Structure formats: C-alpha cells, structure tokens
Amino acid sequence: TMSSFSEKTLEDLIFENKETIIQRGFPFLLDNTLRQFVLPSAKIIDLFSFSISEDIIDCRIFELKKECLRPQHIVQVLDYSTEVYYLLHPHYKSISIERFLVGNDIDQPTISLVEDIINLETYLYKYTFNGLFFKKYLSKFEFGNEFLDKHLPPDTNNNKFKFRLEEIDKNRTTHP
C-alpha cells in the first residue's frame, strides 16, 4: 500500500527495474550499480553506480529519501562524494562524480541551496497506483580536479577501494 512505502521499497523498485525507471524519468545508471554500498568510513551509499575505462572513472551517487528533501540530505550526499573522490584521486586521471538526491518533495531551504549554492541533480518521485515516476529538478555537476589543492598519495585505504571497484567491474565484464 501507499502508506507502507519505505526507502527500501523505493530502492528495490529502482534497482530491480533499471530499464523501466529510466523511461519514467530516472537518470541512467552506469555499467556497475550497487545498493547499500559501504565506504571505508562505514557510511552507506543507497545506490552507487560507476564505469571504469582505463584511467577514467565515472561515478553516480544516489541518496534516496521516502520523504521531503531537506538540507541535511544534501550534506549527506556531499559527504559521500567527497570520500569517494579522495579515495579515487590517487588512482585515476579523470574522475567524474555526479550526485543525486531523490525524494517525494523538496523544502524551501533545500531549494535555495540547490538553486543558489551548489550544483546537484535532484529528482522528485511520485508513487502512484500506476507505479513509480521521476521528474528531474535541476542540472548536473561534474566534480572537477580543482576540488583538490594538494596531491593525495596512494595508501592502503584508497588502494583497497580501487581494487574493490576494479574487481566488481572485471566480474561484470567477464560474467555479463
């Protein structure tokens, strides 16, 4: 029923219907898409989608909310993208990280942040008796190298992260 619609239900519907949701307005997913993706900090990304091509990596981080989008949700997705960027920076020449918030509404303080301060793709969903539909709220942001002023050397933590992503990518490629 509509009243029992949870964040997990939203995640299940998106993950299990990747082609259908794109036709209904959800942003496209990349080669590899993982749910409840645990970062080395133990923070959990709802949906983490990525593609690797030699020394280029493209990532999409999705934070899903069953309710109205609020400023703390922006902080949450920025926190994830910053950690991912720091982990990837020593290993890839080109890193693109797109951040997405998905909720069923957006409050005024969040609108102000999204429109005036940061670049963030935001999608609003409607869950009706005809299924799940998405509507884009705003334009995308490419996470550029200017984010880092100093060089980040490879270390145990980011080496493990890189290896983990490349193993996932390699397994997808060898076992379609």
Side-chain angles (χ1 to χ4, degrees):
T1 66
M2 302 295 275
S3 61
S4 64
F5 192 77
S6 69
E7 205 169 288
K8 184 182 181 323
T9 305
L10 179 62
E11 184 182 309
D12 290 343
L13 287 168
I14 291 168
F15 193 79
E16 293 162 13
N17 301 283
K18 294 186 189 95
E19 289 76 28
T20 309
I21 59 158
I22 291 164
Q23 296 165 5
R24 292 181 175 202
F26 195 80
F28 72 90
L29 300 168
L30 303 174
D31 292 341
N32 308 279
T33 301
L34 307 156
R35 58 198 301 184
Q36 297 299 302
F37 184 74
V38 182
L39 293 172
S41 65
K43 293 172 185 144
I44 301 170
I45 297 173
D46 290 335
L47 289 175
F48 181 65
S49 191
F50 70 96
S51 295
I52 298 172
S53 176
E54 296 176 27
D55 56 358
I56 298 165
I57 187 164
D58 296 309
C59 304
R60 289 184 153 208
I61 294 172
F62 295 88
E63 182 55 33
L64 309 176
K65 296 295 174 192
K66 70 175 187 171
E67 73 270 3
C68 182
L69 298 175
R70 305 199 186 285
Q72 64 265 31
H73 303 142
I74 292 176
V75 173
Q76 192 177 1
V77 78
L78 292 175
D79 195 26
Y80 298 155
S81 63
T82 301
E83 181 172 348
V84 168
Y85 189 82
Y86 278 118
L87 289 163
L88 297 176
H89 184 66
H91 303 287
Y92 295 93
K93 191 187 293 178
S94 171
I95 303 165
S96 164
I97 301 177
E98 292 176 281
R99 303 164 295 198
F100 301 85
L101 278 179
V102 179
N104 68 356
D105 202 356
I106 187 167
D107 72 6
Q108 191 55 53
T110 306
I111 288 171
S112 299
L113 284 170
V114 167
E115 288 182 351
D116 300 331
I117 297 173
I118 62 169
N119 295 304
L120 172 75
E121 273 198 337
T122 306
Y123 284 77
L124 303 179
Y125 74 84
K126 281 199 168 126
Y127 185 58
T128 69
F129 293 106
N130 292 326
L132 192 57
F133 295 88
F134 299 88
K135 186 176 179 195
K136 184 176 175 180
Y137 186 75
L138 170 51
S139 67
K140 71 179 180 180
F141 174 71
E142 288 264 332
F143 218 122
N145 269 344
E146 74 276 357
F147 178 77
L148 285 183
D149 294 325
K150 54 189 177 189
H151 178 72
L152 283 171
D155 62 25
T156 310
N157 204 28
N158 62 44
N159 280 331
K160 280 198 296 199
F161 189 75
K162 174 184 187 266
F163 179 75
R164 184 174 156 206
L165 295 184
E166 288 177 351
E167 279 299 299
I168 291 164
D169 189 59
K170 188 169 70 180
N171 289 333
R172 176 197 57 84
T173 311
T174 55
H175 306 100

